[in-house]
Structure formats: structure tokens, C-alpha cells
Amino acid sequence: MTTLSGLEVLLDSGADLVAGKRVGLLACPSSVDGQLRGSIERLHRHPDVNLVALFGPEHGIRGDAQAGSPVASDIDAITGLPVYSLHGETQSPKPEMLRDIDVILIDLPDAGVRFYTFLATTLYVMRAARDAGIAVIVLDRPAPINGNRVEGPVLEPEFASFVGPFPLPIRYGMTLGEVAQLINDQDIGCELKVVAMRGWSRAMWFDETGLPFVPSSPNLPTLDCSGPEKLDT
């Protein structure tokens, strides 16, 4: 059985969670469904979704920026929607970026390690949404290096940064939705909903989910980049 991502679960239910609301979307090129259709395009074309703005993490919504390179805000050539970069002038949405949004969807594939910047971007969006009084919905995706193993030292709070935004071990053994819920309960306190996957279990490595692999970073081009541990199991 192929795992269904939170994106597909949301759309299979008729997108009731966002019906009648102005929607922002934080996504990247690997935010795709099982048939390689991007979440940006699927949500933009859905009759019950009013997608009004896009937000881009490191590498941008189309994945064409190298690691660490600043990305400018722009207009998306495919949808015509405004794209607000969260890896350029600012790493957190400014109030004016959220002014015409009722709910923001987060559909990002995580790497399962705390220094991957998609985690920090997610948490920064959650804090900004809390301050703006808008809801956040995380469309969950598999933990690519499985959800069982936890490894490495826990970050000391005084060393928090964009590549270590919260006291977590290096490998935290959770999906992005799970870690967002944990940190929200302990620290942020935004209005958060996590749309869980179907057909995913904690022991799964990404290539056992049946989902297509699309690099989320130019520096993670293959599944082998996750390390050699699987070969030893």
C-alpha cells in the first residue's frame, strides 16, 4: 500500500478544513502527491481552495536556488500568485505578508535532522501565524530516515539558530507534523492542525512508502544522502 501524504488526505476529504478561507501555502518542488503533481498546482486548481499566496523556504518554491543563497520575493510565473520568500530579506513572514490570509498550509518534506532549515522555517511561520491570529495546518509527510531512531546530542537552548531552532537531538525520529505539534504544545501555542498521513508506520524508510522521491535540496539529490545505516539493518 502506498502511503498517502497529508496533502492527499486533505484533498481526498474535499478540502473542508480550508473551504471558504483565504489560503497561504508554504511548499517546495518536492511537495508532490503520489503521481508527482505539485501541491501548489493541485491546491491552485481545486474548486474549493482559495489559494491567495505562496511562501518559499530555502531554495525557493521551484528549488532553483543553491544552499544558503538568498531568494527574492516575486510573482509565480505558473499561478500568478505572490511568492513571499522566507530565505532572503526575512526568515519569518512579516505581518503584511499574512494580512489577507486566514490559514496557512505547510507542505514540506523534512529530512529528519534539526539542522535542515525547513524545520526552522516551519516554526517561524507558526510563531508569525500565532501573532497574526491565523491558523496553521501542517500536511504531514514521512520521516524519510524513519520515525524510530533518535540519535545525537540535544541542542543547548543558548545555541538556538536557523540551523538548530529548538532543543532537539540531531536526529529526532519524528515527522514534521509531529515535531511541530510537540514544539507548539511546549512553546509556540498557535492554532495548529496536523493532517496525518494514511498508510505510514514509524519503521518505514522513505523508499518503503511508495511515494516518489523528489530532491528537496540540490545537496540531497538521492535517498543515499540520508546515510549508510539502512544497509546495516
Side-chain angles (χ1 to χ4, degrees):
M1 175 183 176
T2 299
T3 298
L4 290 181
S5 68
L7 168 68
E8 292 171 284
V9 172
L10 175 80
L11 295 179
D12 284 352
S13 69
D16 292 344
L17 286 175
V18 297
K21 299 177 180 179
R22 297 167 298 177
V23 179
L25 172 66
L26 170 61
C28 71
S30 46
S31 307
V32 298
D33 65 14
Q35 286 73 50
L36 287 172
R37 296 173 294 183
S39 60
I40 295 174
E41 287 71 30
R42 288 210 64 186
L43 290 164
H44 184 243
R45 294 171 183 167
H46 197 286
D48 298 324
V49 179
N50 181 21
L51 187 62
V52 299
L54 304 173
F55 295 84
E58 185 174 9
H59 313 298
I61 64 167
R62 302 299 175 187
D64 51 2
Q66 259 297 341
S69 298
V71 181
S73 295
D74 204 350
I75 299 297
D76 180 42
I78 295 176
T79 64
L81 295 173
V83 181
Y84 299 116
S85 172
L86 302 181
H87 199 266
E89 180 186 351
T90 182
Q91 293 176 334
S92 178
K94 296 180 178 180
E96 57 265 29
M97 296 177 180
L98 302 174
R99 188 172 296 133
D100 298 320
I101 293 174
D102 301 311
V103 59
I104 186 163
L105 299 178
I106 298 176
D107 186 23
L108 292 177
D110 195 23
V113 287
R114 70 166 184 251
F115 45 79
Y116 202 63
T117 61
F118 286 5
L119 172 61
T121 298
T122 294
L123 302 183
Y124 292 1
V125 166
M126 289 165 58
R127 290 191 179 98
R130 174 201 61 199
D131 295 343
I134 67 175
V136 176
I137 299 175
V138 175
L139 306 178
D140 216 4
R141 289 185 173 272
I145 49 178
N146 80 47
N148 281 334
R149 294 191 185 184
V150 176
E151 297 176 319
V154 174
L155 181 75
E156 297 289 342
E158 61 266 32
F159 298 113
S161 71
F162 193 54
V163 290
F166 198 78
L168 294 167
I170 291 175
R171 179 179 181 176
Y172 40 78
M174 290 181 279
T175 68
L176 186 65
E178 290 171 337
V179 73
Q181 188 68 70
L182 172 71
I183 296 174
N184 194 56
D185 292 344
Q186 294 185 4
D187 179 60
I188 299 175
C190 71
E191 181 184 342
L192 176 66
K193 167 74 176 177
V194 177
V195 178
M197 296 170 282
R198 293 179 190 154
W200 181 78
S201 66
R202 308 205 69 80
M204 283 183 174
W205 295 77
F206 188 86
D207 57 356
E208 296 172 318
T209 66
L211 292 172
F213 174 77
V214 178
S216 55
S217 163
N219 300 311
L220 285 177
T222 70
L223 281 173
D224 292 340
C225 293
S226 63
E229 309 109 81
K230 189 179 179 184
L231 301 177
D232 300 326
T233 61

